[in-house]
Amino acid sequence: MRITIFGLTISSSWGNGHATLWRGLIRALAAQGHHVTFAERDMPWYAEHRDLSRLPAGELYLYDEWEQVLAQRRRLLDVDVVIVTSYCPDAVAATRLAEGGSHAVRLFYDLDTPVTLARLAAGETVDYLPPEGLGGFDLVLSYTGGPALTALAARLGARATAPLYGHVDPAAHRPVPADATFAGDLSYLGTHAADRQRALAELFVRPAAAMPGARFVLGGSGYPADFPWRPNIWFMDHVAPPDHPAFFASSRLTLNVTRADMAAMGWCPSGRLFEAAACGAAIVSDRWDGLDAFFAPGEEIILADGHADVLAALALDHGEVRRIAARARERVLAEHSSSARAAELVALIERAGSRSSVAVAG
């Protein structure tokens, strides 16, 4: 297949979770014989933190103005599949372009479904959604499963929906030797988000306060000066993707904290979960509906409702921690790799194309 994606970014992993996911997925699609062009508006904040300028397994098309895309419309639309994503700054224009000049299968991929639905419920305008909704797409994919799929149909008129969950590229995320730079008892990797603050304070800051002799490592951008720092919290602003394996491998446990909208809706595994597990890390996570569909609690992941659960996890013997990490890595490689997800995407596209052909013939 030839696929064009209009997305937020693949060129910079700074301050977003989209780029790493697309890199792994496109690499896997290329290995399976498909060609992908990723069209991205060249935004200054991503340009300043660009950590990919060439897409080895496809084509990165950076543009400054939409008129440049229009000039390349024939090349970009002469494909089998067009995918428009959430938070793409030109999502509506890309939708109109695909509707007006392509016979390709049209997909919308919402990588931020709980945020999308929460904004709609609050009466906000969501600028990456066409005003008429998503009924014009052959298939709407969602990073979130469960009740989110029903909501996408009910609220936005999606004719067909399917989950396409997060994943990990084992070539990029794998066990590596520990690095003293990232060494600690508990680590957390994630950009600052106000709706994660309460959970992060409970599951990371409070344990740090209770264990002043332990080392807690926090990596991510956007943390304010008034964050409740502790003397034993080591902070690094933005850990680049090539350093993620060492970051995860260098602490005894790593923490996953889910954004409030995603935790409330459930069925929304963070890509960080799969990345950490693929790197051989033992994970402590907050609890949300559907988590047990991805990892077995107590066997492949440790669940924490409060700081006492984190302290108990930190008290586990080394052998048990390693066994939990090994089982999680085995599960991820079997079910949640980028290759597995790419195969799912191709099958979903083929089914959507078949439905579209039947509708046209009828």
Side-chain angles (χ1 to χ4, degrees), residues 65-92:
E65 302 293 339
W66 185 248
E67 287 70 22
Q68 294 172 264
V69 174
L70 295 178
Q72 296 290 323
R73 74 176 75 193
R74 179 172 298 179
R75 179 173 68 88
L76 293 170
L77 297 183
D78 185 20
V79 293
D80 302 294
V81 187
V82 174
I83 303 176
V84 182
T85 82
S86 55
Y87 281 98
C88 171
D90 296 299
V92 175

mmCIF file of all heavy atoms in Angstrom, residues 65-92:
data_model
loop_
_atom_site.group_PDB
_atom_site.id
_atom_site.type_symbol
_atom_site.label_atom_id
_atom_site.label_comp_id
_atom_site.label_asym_id
_atom_site.label_seq_id
_atom_site.Cartn_x
_atom_site.Cartn_y
_atom_site.Cartn_z
ATOM 1 N N GLU A 65 3.463 26.288 4.625
ATOM 2 C CA GLU A 65 2.130 26.808 4.344
ATOM 3 C C GLU A 65 1.308 25.749 3.621
ATOM 4 O O GLU A 65 1.843 24.921 2.869
ATOM 5 C CB GLU A 65 2.212 28.074 3.464
ATOM 6 C CG GLU A 65 3.035 29.201 4.066
ATOM 7 C CD GLU A 65 2.393 29.800 5.313
ATOM 8 O OE1 GLU A 65 1.157 29.624 5.481
ATOM 9 O OE2 GLU A 65 3.116 30.435 6.107
ATOM 10 N N TRP A 66 -0.010 25.798 3.814
ATOM 11 C CA TRP A 66 -0.877 24.797 3.204
ATOM 12 C C TRP A 66 -0.829 24.852 1.679
ATOM 13 O O TRP A 66 -1.026 23.838 1.008
ATOM 14 C CB TRP A 66 -2.313 24.980 3.698
ATOM 15 C CG TRP A 66 -3.235 23.916 3.209
ATOM 16 C CD1 TRP A 66 -4.264 24.034 2.327
ATOM 17 C CD2 TRP A 66 -3.190 22.519 3.559
ATOM 18 N NE1 TRP A 66 -4.872 22.821 2.105
ATOM 19 C CE2 TRP A 66 -4.237 21.878 2.853
ATOM 20 C CE3 TRP A 66 -2.387 21.761 4.404
ATOM 21 C CZ2 TRP A 66 -4.476 20.507 2.973
ATOM 22 C CZ3 TRP A 66 -2.625 20.403 4.521
ATOM 23 C CH2 TRP A 66 -3.660 19.793 3.806
ATOM 24 N N GLU A 67 -0.520 26.027 1.126
ATOM 25 C CA GLU A 67 -0.427 26.161 -0.322
ATOM 26 C C GLU A 67 0.636 25.224 -0.895
ATOM 27 O O GLU A 67 0.522 24.757 -2.042
ATOM 28 C CB GLU A 67 -0.102 27.612 -0.700
ATOM 29 C CG GLU A 67 -1.266 28.578 -0.529
ATOM 30 C CD GLU A 67 -1.627 28.837 0.933
ATOM 31 O OE1 GLU A 67 -0.747 28.612 1.810
ATOM 32 O OE2 GLU A 67 -2.779 29.249 1.198
ATOM 33 N N GLN A 68 1.681 24.933 -0.121
ATOM 34 C CA GLN A 68 2.701 23.996 -0.586
ATOM 35 C C GLN A 68 2.115 22.588 -0.718
ATOM 36 O O GLN A 68 2.466 21.846 -1.639
ATOM 37 C CB GLN A 68 3.879 23.986 0.393
ATOM 38 C CG GLN A 68 4.644 25.296 0.457
ATOM 39 C CD GLN A 68 5.663 25.290 1.581
ATOM 40 O OE1 GLN A 68 5.420 25.774 2.675
ATOM 41 N NE2 GLN A 68 6.812 24.714 1.307
ATOM 42 N N VAL A 69 1.220 22.236 0.195
ATOM 43 C CA VAL A 69 0.559 20.934 0.106
ATOM 44 C C VAL A 69 -0.330 20.886 -1.132
ATOM 45 O O VAL A 69 -0.343 19.892 -1.871
ATOM 46 C CB VAL A 69 -0.269 20.658 1.381
ATOM 47 C CG1 VAL A 69 -1.079 19.374 1.231
ATOM 48 C CG2 VAL A 69 0.637 20.585 2.602
ATOM 49 N N LEU A 70 -1.063 21.964 -1.373
ATOM 50 C CA LEU A 70 -1.938 22.010 -2.540
ATOM 51 C C LEU A 70 -1.140 21.851 -3.834
ATOM 52 O O LEU A 70 -1.607 21.208 -4.782
ATOM 53 C CB LEU A 70 -2.719 23.324 -2.553
ATOM 54 C CG LEU A 70 -3.714 23.528 -1.394
ATOM 55 C CD1 LEU A 70 -4.379 24.893 -1.521
ATOM 56 C CD2 LEU A 70 -4.753 22.416 -1.360
ATOM 57 N N ALA A 71 0.062 22.403 -3.835
ATOM 58 C CA ALA A 71 0.900 22.270 -5.025
ATOM 59 C C ALA A 71 1.380 20.835 -5.218
ATOM 60 O O ALA A 71 1.744 20.446 -6.337
ATOM 61 C CB ALA A 71 2.098 23.212 -4.921
ATOM 62 N N GLN A 72 1.385 20.061 -4.147
ATOM 63 C CA GLN A 72 1.839 18.678 -4.210
ATOM 64 C C GLN A 72 0.676 17.687 -4.105
ATOM 65 O O GLN A 72 0.889 16.499 -3.861
ATOM 66 C CB GLN A 72 2.818 18.405 -3.062
ATOM 67 C CG GLN A 72 4.097 19.207 -3.118
ATOM 68 C CD GLN A 72 4.988 18.760 -4.254
ATOM 69 O OE1 GLN A 72 5.077 17.581 -4.561
ATOM 70 N NE2 GLN A 72 5.653 19.708 -4.903
ATOM 71 N N ARG A 73 -0.539 18.183 -4.303
ATOM 72 C CA ARG A 73 -1.708 17.350 -4.021
ATOM 73 C C ARG A 73 -1.714 16.055 -4.831
ATOM 74 O O ARG A 73 -2.106 15.005 -4.316
ATOM 75 C CB ARG A 73 -2.989 18.153 -4.257
ATOM 76 C CG ARG A 73 -3.338 18.388 -5.704
ATOM 77 C CD ARG A 73 -4.668 19.098 -5.837
ATOM 78 N NE ARG A 73 -4.547 20.516 -5.491
ATOM 79 C CZ ARG A 73 -5.575 21.320 -5.276
ATOM 80 N NH1 ARG A 73 -6.803 20.845 -5.349
ATOM 81 N NH2 ARG A 73 -5.396 22.586 -4.992
ATOM 82 N N ARG A 74 -1.313 16.136 -6.097
ATOM 83 C CA ARG A 74 -1.364 14.927 -6.928
ATOM 84 C C ARG A 74 -0.462 13.839 -6.345
ATOM 85 O O ARG A 74 -0.861 12.677 -6.220
ATOM 86 C CB ARG A 74 -0.957 15.258 -8.358
ATOM 87 C CG ARG A 74 -0.952 14.038 -9.283
ATOM 88 C CD ARG A 74 -0.726 14.438 -10.731
ATOM 89 N NE ARG A 74 -1.793 15.302 -11.224
ATOM 90 C CZ ARG A 74 -1.823 15.808 -12.448
ATOM 91 N NH1 ARG A 74 -0.840 15.521 -13.294
ATOM 92 N NH2 ARG A 74 -2.814 16.582 -12.828
ATOM 93 N N ARG A 75 0.741 14.220 -5.962
ATOM 94 C CA ARG A 75 1.679 13.244 -5.398
ATOM 95 C C ARG A 75 1.194 12.704 -4.060
ATOM 96 O O ARG A 75 1.269 11.509 -3.782
ATOM 97 C CB ARG A 75 3.055 13.897 -5.225
ATOM 98 C CG ARG A 75 4.107 12.979 -4.626
ATOM 99 C CD ARG A 75 5.463 13.636 -4.650
ATOM 100 N NE ARG A 75 5.532 14.782 -3.750
ATOM 101 C CZ ARG A 75 5.866 14.674 -2.450
ATOM 102 N NH1 ARG A 75 6.085 13.484 -1.923
ATOM 103 N NH2 ARG A 75 5.941 15.745 -1.699
ATOM 104 N N LEU A 76 0.648 13.589 -3.221
ATOM 105 C CA LEU A 76 0.236 13.186 -1.883
ATOM 106 C C LEU A 76 -1.053 12.367 -1.893
ATOM 107 O O LEU A 76 -1.276 11.544 -0.992
ATOM 108 C CB LEU A 76 0.059 14.418 -0.997
ATOM 109 C CG LEU A 76 1.347 15.191 -0.669
ATOM 110 C CD1 LEU A 76 1.025 16.511 0.010
ATOM 111 C CD2 LEU A 76 2.276 14.357 0.202
ATOM 112 N N LEU A 77 -1.904 12.601 -2.880
ATOM 113 C CA LEU A 77 -3.193 11.919 -2.914
ATOM 114 C C LEU A 77 -3.236 10.726 -3.861
ATOM 115 O O LEU A 77 -4.212 9.970 -3.853
ATOM 116 C CB LEU A 77 -4.300 12.903 -3.295
ATOM 117 C CG LEU A 77 -4.545 14.059 -2.332
ATOM 118 C CD1 LEU A 77 -5.722 14.891 -2.802
ATOM 119 C CD2 LEU A 77 -4.769 13.572 -0.912
ATOM 120 N N ASP A 78 -2.201 10.555 -4.676
ATOM 121 C CA ASP A 78 -2.158 9.399 -5.569
ATOM 122 C C ASP A 78 -1.649 8.189 -4.778
ATOM 123 O O ASP A 78 -0.575 7.649 -5.025
ATOM 124 C CB ASP A 78 -1.255 9.686 -6.763
ATOM 125 C CG ASP A 78 -1.274 8.545 -7.778
ATOM 126 O OD1 ASP A 78 -2.237 7.748 -7.754
ATOM 127 O OD2 ASP A 78 -0.321 8.444 -8.582
ATOM 128 N N VAL A 79 -2.462 7.786 -3.800
ATOM 129 C CA VAL A 79 -2.087 6.732 -2.859
ATOM 130 C C VAL A 79 -3.295 5.827 -2.631
ATOM 131 O O VAL A 79 -4.390 6.072 -3.137
ATOM 132 C CB VAL A 79 -1.600 7.332 -1.517
ATOM 133 C CG1 VAL A 79 -0.295 8.087 -1.698
ATOM 134 C CG2 VAL A 79 -2.669 8.243 -0.908
ATOM 135 N N ASP A 80 -3.085 4.794 -1.831
ATOM 136 C CA ASP A 80 -4.169 3.876 -1.509
ATOM 137 C C ASP A 80 -4.917 4.284 -0.245
ATOM 138 O O ASP A 80 -6.098 3.955 -0.086
ATOM 139 C CB ASP A 80 -3.603 2.465 -1.314
ATOM 140 C CG ASP A 80 -2.861 1.976 -2.538
ATOM 141 O OD1 ASP A 80 -3.517 1.788 -3.575
ATOM 142 O OD2 ASP A 80 -1.631 1.810 -2.463
ATOM 143 N N VAL A 81 -4.232 4.988 0.639
ATOM 144 C CA VAL A 81 -4.811 5.335 1.936
ATOM 145 C C VAL A 81 -4.386 6.742 2.323
ATOM 146 O O VAL A 81 -3.203 7.095 2.183
ATOM 147 C CB VAL A 81 -4.349 4.354 3.046
ATOM 148 C CG1 VAL A 81 -5.095 4.630 4.347
ATOM 149 C CG2 VAL A 81 -4.523 2.906 2.618
ATOM 150 N N VAL A 82 -5.336 7.535 2.826
ATOM 151 C CA VAL A 82 -5.038 8.839 3.427
ATOM 152 C C VAL A 82 -5.509 8.788 4.875
ATOM 153 O O VAL A 82 -6.651 8.431 5.149
ATOM 154 C CB VAL A 82 -5.735 9.996 2.690
ATOM 155 C CG1 VAL A 82 -5.522 11.310 3.444
ATOM 156 C CG2 VAL A 82 -5.204 10.115 1.269
ATOM 157 N N ILE A 83 -4.597 9.145 5.786
ATOM 158 C CA ILE A 83 -4.917 9.163 7.216
ATOM 159 C C ILE A 83 -4.740 10.584 7.731
ATOM 160 O O ILE A 83 -3.693 11.206 7.514
ATOM 161 C CB ILE A 83 -4.012 8.207 8.013
ATOM 162 C CG1 ILE A 83 -4.120 6.775 7.476
ATOM 163 C CG2 ILE A 83 -4.367 8.248 9.505
ATOM 164 C CD1 ILE A 83 -3.175 5.784 8.151
ATOM 165 N N VAL A 84 -5.762 11.096 8.399
ATOM 166 C CA VAL A 84 -5.711 12.400 9.071
ATOM 167 C C VAL A 84 -5.768 12.133 10.574
ATOM 168 O O VAL A 84 -6.547 11.275 11.018
ATOM 169 C CB VAL A 84 -6.883 13.303 8.650
ATOM 170 C CG1 VAL A 84 -6.782 14.672 9.318
ATOM 171 C CG2 VAL A 84 -6.924 13.447 7.129
ATOM 172 N N THR A 85 -4.956 12.838 11.361
ATOM 173 C CA THR A 85 -4.881 12.534 12.789
ATOM 174 C C THR A 85 -5.322 13.698 13.664
ATOM 175 O O THR A 85 -5.357 14.856 13.234
ATOM 176 C CB THR A 85 -3.453 12.149 13.212
ATOM 177 O OG1 THR A 85 -2.667 13.344 13.428
ATOM 178 C CG2 THR A 85 -2.772 11.286 12.172
ATOM 179 N N SER A 86 -5.632 13.361 14.896
ATOM 180 C CA SER A 86 -5.903 14.380 15.909
ATOM 181 C C SER A 86 -4.673 15.265 16.093
ATOM 182 O O SER A 86 -3.534 14.826 15.927
ATOM 183 C CB SER A 86 -6.266 13.715 17.245
ATOM 184 O OG SER A 86 -5.264 12.801 17.652
ATOM 185 N N TYR A 87 -4.934 16.514 16.410
ATOM 186 C CA TYR A 87 -3.918 17.539 16.640
ATOM 187 C C TYR A 87 -3.108 17.897 15.403
ATOM 188 O O TYR A 87 -2.162 18.689 15.488
ATOM 189 C CB TYR A 87 -3.003 17.194 17.827
ATOM 190 C CG TYR A 87 -3.673 17.493 19.153
ATOM 191 C CD1 TYR A 87 -4.300 16.481 19.872
ATOM 192 C CD2 TYR A 87 -3.713 18.781 19.655
ATOM 193 C CE1 TYR A 87 -4.948 16.749 21.060
ATOM 194 C CE2 TYR A 87 -4.345 19.068 20.852
ATOM 195 C CZ TYR A 87 -4.971 18.045 21.561
ATOM 196 O OH TYR A 87 -5.616 18.323 22.735
ATOM 197 N N CYS A 88 -3.438 17.345 14.251
ATOM 198 C CA CYS A 88 -2.834 17.847 13.023
ATOM 199 C C CYS A 88 -3.305 19.290 12.845
ATOM 200 O O CYS A 88 -4.518 19.551 12.850
ATOM 201 C CB CYS A 88 -3.275 17.001 11.836
ATOM 202 S SG CYS A 88 -2.793 17.686 10.230
ATOM 203 N N PRO A 89 -2.412 20.253 12.687
ATOM 204 C CA PRO A 89 -2.847 21.658 12.597
ATOM 205 C C PRO A 89 -3.655 21.975 11.348
ATOM 206 O O PRO A 89 -4.350 22.994 11.307
ATOM 207 C CB PRO A 89 -1.520 22.443 12.623
ATOM 208 C CG PRO A 89 -0.482 21.462 12.236
ATOM 209 C CD PRO A 89 -0.950 20.132 12.703
ATOM 210 N N ASP A 90 -3.587 21.117 10.343
ATOM 211 C CA ASP A 90 -4.347 21.324 9.109
ATOM 212 C C ASP A 90 -5.309 20.161 8.868
ATOM 213 O O ASP A 90 -5.592 19.803 7.716
ATOM 214 C CB ASP A 90 -3.395 21.468 7.921
ATOM 215 C CG ASP A 90 -2.517 22.695 8.042
ATOM 216 O OD1 ASP A 90 -3.075 23.812 8.085
ATOM 217 O OD2 ASP A 90 -1.284 22.541 8.117
ATOM 218 N N ALA A 91 -5.836 19.587 9.937
ATOM 219 C CA ALA A 91 -6.665 18.384 9.821
ATOM 220 C C ALA A 91 -7.906 18.613 8.964
ATOM 221 O O ALA A 91 -8.246 17.775 8.114
ATOM 222 C CB ALA A 91 -7.066 17.889 11.209
ATOM 223 N N VAL A 92 -8.592 19.730 9.169
ATOM 224 C CA VAL A 92 -9.821 19.976 8.411
ATOM 225 C C VAL A 92 -9.496 20.197 6.933
ATOM 226 O O VAL A 92 -10.166 19.652 6.045
ATOM 227 C CB VAL A 92 -10.602 21.167 8.999
ATOM 228 C CG1 VAL A 92 -11.809 21.503 8.125
ATOM 229 C CG2 VAL A 92 -11.055 20.845 10.421
#
